[in-house]
Amino acid sequence: MTQLHLPADRTHEQHRLENRYPGIWRASQLAHDMAATIHTGYIALNQELPNAGWPLGQLIEILIAQFGTAELNLLMPALKRLDHRPVALLAPPHIPFASAYQQDAAEAVSLLWIAGTKHSDHLWSAEQILKNGSCGALLLWQKQIKTEVLRRLHLLAQKSQTLFFVIRPMQAAQSPSPAVLRIALTPKASGMQINILKRRGASNEAPLFLYTNDHPYLSSRVIEPLRQSVPDSPLGLSRQDQQKQTSIF
Amino acid sequence: MKLRADTGESTWIAVHLPLIELEAFIPCWQHGLRSSAIVVLKQNRVIAMSHTAMVAGVRVGMRRGGVQMLLSDVDFFTQDNTRETAALSAIALALLRYTPQVSFAEEASILLDIGASIRLFGGLPSLRRLVRSTVKSLGYSPTIGCAPTAKTAWLFARNAARIGRLGQSCLRTTHISAATDRLSVDLLIAAASSHDLLQGLACHSLADLKALPRAGLQRRCGKSLLAELDLAYSSRSTPQIWIVAAPEFCARIELPDRSDSTETLFTYSRSLLSQLLGWLHAHQFAVKQLRLELQHERGRQAVAPSVLDIDLAVASWQESNLLPLLKEKISLLRLPGPVISLVLKAPETVTRALASDSLFPETVTNPADHQHLLGLLVARLGAAQVLRPCSQEDHRPEFANQWISVMEPSVSTHSKESSVTPLTILRPRWLLAQAIVLEVRRHKPYLDSELTLISPAERIEAGWWTDQTQVRDYFVAVSADHIRYWIYRERSSHRNNAAPAWFLHGIFG
């Protein structure tokens, strides 16, 4: 908040310095480095993530109270940006409805559904997919997973360029995890609410609200924000986010 | 067999197998694991023994009785020339991976002209390591000599075995003569007959032998010793007879003990796979199907061998693809009894399709890699567990959303393109395997909380031409915790059944 009271020229000076020396990092800022990321599809979320996107080749945890209720709403925009590389759904909670992922031919997501029944088979499959690296993204749903196993998967992911999400129940927030990014996700009336539990850089306790306009049916009650949303983003910002955006500098 | 003259500068690797008499029976990885000592006899005299036997005091030249006095727990084998020849052929075949120029040499040795392969395999030290690990994977412990000529490399490999080292190499032409000088006379084959004479002359090293007058040496020891000595110092190699791989691949290995543990079987089948890789390289083939036959011990009745067929999605010739596949297949194997021998065949091969590499590292991975991944996943999980979508043109969601095994050939592309649903039709991302009956409270469907309908009905009436007629109205409903469900109302054709039946069929999210 102190930065808001700085004289304008001093803020300008800071910007100039940061542009000139990209290596400068302030403790109040998000971490930034040269690691590859992929656009999340949500401008508000990008602003809260190091390097402005989902990191590739890192373990990312999504915590959700009930599997299958919001996680793909959050991840679909990123999965569509994988240049048609296959997306592996490992041990998903229900049957994926393929046509819902392929509604637009230009942005169709090619799916690979790995069912399996045994926990050890799931982990083995995840290991093989990460080792092989031919899949663009790997989504693994697991209710119970040990920290050692997560660490091992994280190490494997770091050798690949795969977008790797582990979806876990909300209770897992209590246990430690090697994930570089942990996100708690709650479905809301016209979108979803995100709490970033862990990220590289300064933490942000405030929840973030993402508005999804995936279909007129599903947002029929909130047509107004749809019209107000920023035109450059396919998935606009909510009013809260717009306020937030203006408050930065 | 082809005879080809050696030309120009070259580098040779000689692989010598000092323990071949022993390892033809028991592979090197078994030596430490066995409790009993192993002794190989030739004409009732010891010619080779395991480390355990050596520690107990067994020496070359002892009789069977003498060994039995020293050791109670000992396995005797009689030296078998056919086994040793087969072993050498197997190793030579496996080494065809590194160069097409492989030939046999005297005293259980194999010569490789690797001058053209050094860069491909990342330098000489790395190539030497690869050769060593390949020979080890077949169950033999090699000593390796490296030199600019075949004879010197061969002398170095045998010298290393003699002084108990893993290998010896000298590639600089200025140093090679000095290194050869220090070698023992006993390493020359022609010197064996005149061993006592040379010892009596205090002629121990090749330098001593070179210093002797040639005319007298030829009179006493014959022409062949001089010829071999000249060859050792020569800067040229004699022409070699290169090994040519057989047109069909069939490798067999006998297990020293009956075994049914998958790990043991995997270790042995790995040695067969090494040979296959060499064979594939020699012919520039890629393998499409592998067949591993596991032969069982014959009891009162003959037991048919268990056959393990491994079909590859994409023909491959790389160890990194074949080895994990073989491992998974073997671990899933159910055997009727212990196995006594393994046979590996390659019934289906194709000519290798070589793709040119691009100058810059590619970000998009090779589609063949993805096929290998699918093959591996199917090998462990089963074809029914690894699926890809195959959407059908049907209004009924269960029938539209079909998933087929990735191993099934893809249907023609035009049906795939037309199956893309227009954006206006809303479908959830998840479909329940079995629709759940919902309670009705206050005339509304209820699931943990009251569900509110937020969409107009989508009527699906289809399947009247089959038994599975569906007459349903689909709605999107929201629960109190903002989860959007896809529910339907069964429209009963019977007038008297008035109560609407609600079902949960999908989840948006």
Side-chain angles (χ1 to χ4, degrees):
Chain A
M1 291 309 284
T2 52
Q3 288 181 347
L4 281 179
H5 304 297
L6 288 172
D9 57 331
R10 193 158 163 204
T11 322
H12 175 73
E13 187 69 11
Q14 276 185 4
H15 273 295
R16 207 179 59 79
L17 267 176
E18 278 169 17
N19 288 338
R20 194 160 163 193
Y21 305 104
I24 291 182
W25 174 75
R26 290 171 211 280
S28 59
Q29 288 175 334
L30 282 174
H32 54 81
D33 50 31
M34 301 306 285
T37 55
I38 196 156
H39 196 290
T40 61
Y42 301 90
I43 292 174
L45 180 59
N46 273 0
Q47 287 171 344
E48 293 296 323
L49 297 181
N51 300 317
W54 298 121
L56 294 177
Q58 302 279 359
L59 170 66
I60 308 169
E61 266 185 36
I62 309 270
L63 309 179
I64 189 159
Q66 190 186 335
F67 283 175
T69 52
E71 60 268 40
L72 277 165
N73 273 342
L74 176 66
L75 304 182
M76 269 314 273
L79 299 185
K80 284 179 182 169
R81 287 164 206 256
L82 290 170
D83 300 334
H84 302 282
R85 284 165 74 198
V87 172
L89 305 177
L90 183 48
H94 309 289
I95 301 170
F97 202 144
S99 55
Y101 297 80
Q102 291 159 346
Q103 288 185 335
D104 190 353
E107 294 186 319
V109 176
S110 63
L111 294 178
L112 176 67
W113 174 20
I114 301 149
T117 46
K118 280 191 282 178
H119 179 65
S120 57
D121 280 351
H122 296 157
L123 300 179
W124 176 85
S125 308
E127 195 178 323
Q128 299 305 323
I129 290 167
L130 291 174
K131 264 188 197 162
N132 187 286
S134 60
C135 287
L138 167 64
L139 275 65
L140 169 66
W141 281 264
Q142 285 295 307
K143 286 222 159 71
Q144 295 283 332
I145 189 162
K146 286 185 185 166
T147 314
E148 304 93 88
V149 175
L150 281 176
R151 186 165 295 124
R152 185 174 164 159
L153 289 177
H154 180 49
L155 286 175
L156 276 170
Q158 284 174 327
K159 288 179 193 149
S160 74
Q161 283 291 303
T162 308
L163 186 58
F164 176 36
F165 294 99
V166 176
I167 295 116
R168 306 178 67 190
M170 205 58 103
Q171 295 88 318
Q174 307 303 321
S175 56
S177 160
V180 291
L181 188 59
R182 301 185 92 187
I183 283 175
L185 185 63
T186 328
K188 286 286 169 205
S190 54
M192 53 207 147
Q193 182 188 308
I194 279 178
N195 287 64
I196 300 175
L197 305 177
K198 179 181 174 185
R199 66 176 177 186
R200 285 185 174 158
S203 67
N204 184 5
E205 301 287 323
L208 181 68
F209 184 81
L210 298 179
Y211 168 68
T212 52
N213 79 21
D214 43 7
H215 200 277
Y217 278 5
L218 303 183
S219 48
S220 56
R221 298 183 149 201
V222 277
I223 288 296
E224 288 309 302
L226 173 69
R227 296 208 179 120
Q228 287 181 2
S229 65
V230 183
D232 66 358
S233 133
L235 305 133
L237 301 171
S238 74
R239 260 175 254 162
Q240 282 178 355
D241 297 325
Q242 285 173 359
Q243 283 165 8
K244 196 166 210 173
Q245 213 177 4
T246 50
S247 73
I248 298 173
F249 301 117
Chain B
M1 301 233 169
K2 279 186 265 180
L3 202 72
R4 212 185 297 165
D6 191 29
T7 49
E9 285 287 311
S10 54
T11 310
W12 291 78
I13 282 186
V15 177
H16 175 58
L17 307 164
L19 296 173
I20 190 164
E21 294 94 349
L22 189 67
E23 286 165 342
F25 293 100
I26 311 287
C28 62
W29 61 71
Q30 279 253 314
H31 289 188
L33 305 172
R34 289 173 77 94
S35 54
S36 56
I38 311 147
V39 170
V40 181
L41 304 170
K42 185 183 185 183
Q43 293 165 352
N44 214 20
R45 296 267 185 179
V46 173
I47 55 161
M49 63 263 166
S50 68
H51 185 70
T52 337
M54 178 120 88
V55 171
V58 178
R59 292 292 178 268
V60 173
M62 278 187 174
R63 288 172 194 280
R64 180 189 283 261
V67 176
Q68 275 165 339
M69 278 174 67
L70 290 168
L71 275 164
S72 55
D73 188 13
V74 61
D75 291 337
F76 287 106
F77 293 99
T78 312
Q79 194 228 9
D80 190 342
N81 277 325
T82 39
R83 262 176 179 265
E84 286 170 23
T85 321
L88 276 174
S89 314
I91 295 170
L93 188 60
L95 291 177
L96 282 173
R97 249 164 109 178
Y98 303 111
T99 169
Q101 295 171 328
V102 176
S103 69
F104 294 119
E106 302 89 351
E107 300 288 323
S109 304
I110 294 167
L111 296 170
L112 288 83
D113 183 358
I114 42 100
S117 315
I118 293 178
R119 241 191 100 184
L120 180 63
F121 291 95
L124 192 61
S126 136
L127 183 57
R128 226 162 28 199
R129 247 192 326 273
L130 285 169
V131 167
R132 186 181 301 283
S133 72
T134 304
V135 179
K136 283 221 161 201
S137 78
L138 283 151
Y140 297 89
S141 29
T143 57
I144 289 176
C146 266
T149 64
K151 189 72 184 177
T152 326
W154 178 80
L155 283 169
F156 281 170
R158 293 192 56 227
N159 185 48
R162 192 186 144 91
I163 59 178
R165 277 169 52 183
L166 288 174
Q168 185 179 356
S169 72
C170 181
L171 291 170
R172 285 201 214 155
T173 38
T174 45
H175 294 49
I176 194 93
S177 155
T180 318
D181 274 349
R182 286 192 293 272
L183 297 173
S184 163
V185 171
D186 296 340
L187 294 173
L188 299 180
I189 300 164
S193 54
S194 33
H195 175 79
D196 292 338
L197 173 75
L198 294 171
Q199 286 296 311
L201 290 169
C203 172
H204 301 297
S205 67
L206 290 191
D208 297 339
L209 190 66
K210 201 169 65 170
L212 291 175
R214 289 176 68 91
L217 197 64
Q218 185 176 337
R219 207 161 49 242
R220 288 192 171 83
C221 306
K223 225 174 189 171
S224 59
L225 182 61
L226 272 184
E228 204 178 347
L229 181 68
D230 290 344
L231 201 55
Y233 282 97
S234 160
S235 59
R236 310 275 298 180
S237 298
T238 45
Q240 302 286 330
I241 300 168
W242 305 123
I243 292 162
V244 178
E248 291 284 317
F249 180 78
C250 176
R252 183 168 187 276
I253 191 165
E254 260 179 56
L255 274 53
D257 309 296
R258 295 178 303 153
S259 169
D260 52 3
S261 100
T262 41
E263 277 199 19
T264 320
L265 290 179
F266 174 65
T267 323
Y268 282 99
S269 45
R270 191 179 174 170
S271 85
L272 294 177
L273 192 68
S274 285
Q275 296 177 40
L276 174 69
L277 293 172
W279 181 83
L280 289 174
H281 267 269
H283 287 292
Q284 291 289 302
F285 277 160
V287 69
K288 196 95 175 75
Q289 192 192 26
L290 283 177
R291 176 173 294 165
L292 184 68
E293 285 174 18
L294 303 106
Q295 293 170 336
H296 300 290
E297 199 173 30
R298 215 190 135 96
R300 280 168 188 270
Q301 293 133 353
V303 185
S306 311
V307 178
L308 186 68
D309 275 324
I310 304 172
D311 292 301
L312 282 93
V314 175
S316 174
W317 63 92
Q318 276 139 340
E319 192 174 16
S320 57
N321 296 326
L322 295 172
L323 199 63
L325 205 58
L326 193 66
K327 189 175 182 180
E328 291 308 324
K329 282 282 182 190
I330 289 178
S331 66
L332 287 175
L333 208 60
R334 295 279 166 276
L335 291 171
V339 177
I340 53 163
S341 66
L342 299 170
V343 180
L344 185 71
K345 288 176 185 168
E348 204 183 333
T349 49
V350 289
T351 313
R352 212 176 271 188
L354 288 175
S356 52
D357 285 339
S358 70
L359 176 61
F360 301 106
E362 283 177 44
T363 46
V364 179
T365 44
N366 189 354
D369 277 351
H370 190 61
Q371 286 300 322
H372 290 305
L373 171 70
L374 297 180
L376 190 58
L377 291 172
V378 166
R380 169 140 170 179
L381 305 170
Q385 303 286 327
V386 187
L387 304 162
R388 63 183 176 83
C390 174
S391 297
Q392 301 295 314
E393 287 178 340
D394 198 312
H395 290 289
R396 295 166 294 173
E398 296 96 327
F399 295 92
N401 187 37
Q402 292 292 323
W403 288 77
I404 57 167
S405 165
V406 286
M407 287 292 128
E408 279 178 46
S410 58
V411 241
S412 55
T413 46
H414 72 269
S415 73
K416 199 181 172 186
E417 275 168 26
S418 62
S419 73
V420 172
T421 326
L423 197 64
T424 45
I425 292 184
L426 181 65
R427 289 286 175 265
R429 298 229 168 84
W430 302 111
L431 202 62
L432 301 192
Q434 186 72 46
I436 297 171
V437 185
L438 295 174
E439 279 182 70
V440 179
R441 291 192 190 175
R442 291 165 54 198
H443 306 288
K444 279 184 168 180
Y446 185 92
L447 180 79
D448 298 327
S449 66
E450 218 165 72
L451 298 180
T452 318
L453 304 185
I454 58 164
S455 76
E458 183 192 343
R459 178 155 295 182
I460 293 178
E461 273 192 36
W464 46 265
W465 56 91
T466 65
D467 298 341
Q468 287 140 321
T469 313
Q470 287 185 359
V471 186
R472 296 169 178 178
D473 284 344
Y474 277 91
F475 296 91
V476 181
V478 176
S479 69
D481 48 0
H482 310 295
I483 298 171
R484 287 168 303 181
Y485 293 105
W486 204 43
I487 64 171
Y488 68 85
R489 186 170 53 190
E490 192 81 61
R491 283 169 54 235
S492 175
S493 51
H494 299 291
R495 289 252 165 208
N496 51 2
N497 190 4
W502 289 95
F503 294 88
L504 171 64
H505 203 195
I507 308 174
F508 292 85

